[in-house]
Amino acid sequence: MADEFKGARIFLNIPAEIAHDPRIKRDKSVLLFGEIYSMLNVTGSFFMSNEQIAKRIRARSTRTVQNCLDELENLGYISRKVIRDPNTKAVIRREITSNWYPGASKCRRPMQSNAGGWCI
């Protein structure tokens, strides 16, 4: 499809609190969140494959992408859901959503520290 969204062309939307979150250990995770958030803002859904993501963020492998997705999910910034065919149980697609929005607390995890508001 010629009009299919292939990622941000001019700017990535990377919130400052995510870019400066000291708990994020991988710089690629910050870039990946920018890709996710940018696509969600334009299309309302995130549908890039790990292979496409790896190219966009210049990752060496899809394992790097998986590690970044795991990190973002563990920190509460994104949620993932695998959609399966009810009959065959084959994976149809995955859904990635953002748990971050402007003005939100720094994460959705239930326990937060008092100093700085970061999740613990």
Side-chain angles (χ1 to χ4, degrees):
M1 203 155 90
D3 293 337
E4 184 176 316
F5 185 79
K6 293 182 174 68
R9 292 184 189 175
I10 299 174
F11 295 105
L12 290 178
N13 294 318
I14 301 174
E17 68 185 52
I18 292 173
H20 302 297
D21 185 340
R23 299 167 305 144
I24 296 178
K25 304 302 179 207
R26 296 173 181 86
D27 292 337
K28 298 286 188 200
S29 294
V30 174
L31 287 175
L32 176 53
F33 185 85
E35 290 288 351
I36 292 168
Y37 200 70
S38 296
M39 184 179 278
L40 289 172
N41 276 338
V42 173
T43 67
S45 62
F46 186 82
F47 46 81
M48 257 189 227
S49 68
N50 285 358
E51 292 81 16
Q52 290 174 306
I53 294 169
K55 289 177 187 174
R56 294 283 303 170
I57 67 171
R58 297 181 186 150
R60 292 179 188 242
S61 69
T62 56
R63 184 70 216 155
T64 299
V65 171
Q66 187 63 44
N67 289 338
C68 292
L69 288 168
D70 289 345
E71 181 172 42
L72 290 170
E73 187 171 42
N74 289 337
L75 292 173
Y77 287 125
I78 65 168
S79 294
R80 292 181 285 179
K81 182 178 179 182
V82 175
I83 309 300
R84 296 183 182 274
D85 181 287
N87 298 322
T88 65
K89 305 297 184 210
V91 173
I92 298 171
R93 69 181 185 282
R94 71 168 172 207
E95 293 178 357
I96 297 177
T97 56
S98 171
N99 296 329
W100 184 92
Y101 58 92
S105 63
K106 295 189 178 169
C107 99
R108 306 283 169 276
R109 295 177 67 112
M111 296 184 66
Q112 294 186 345
S113 69
N114 292 330
W118 297 108
C119 303
I120 56 173

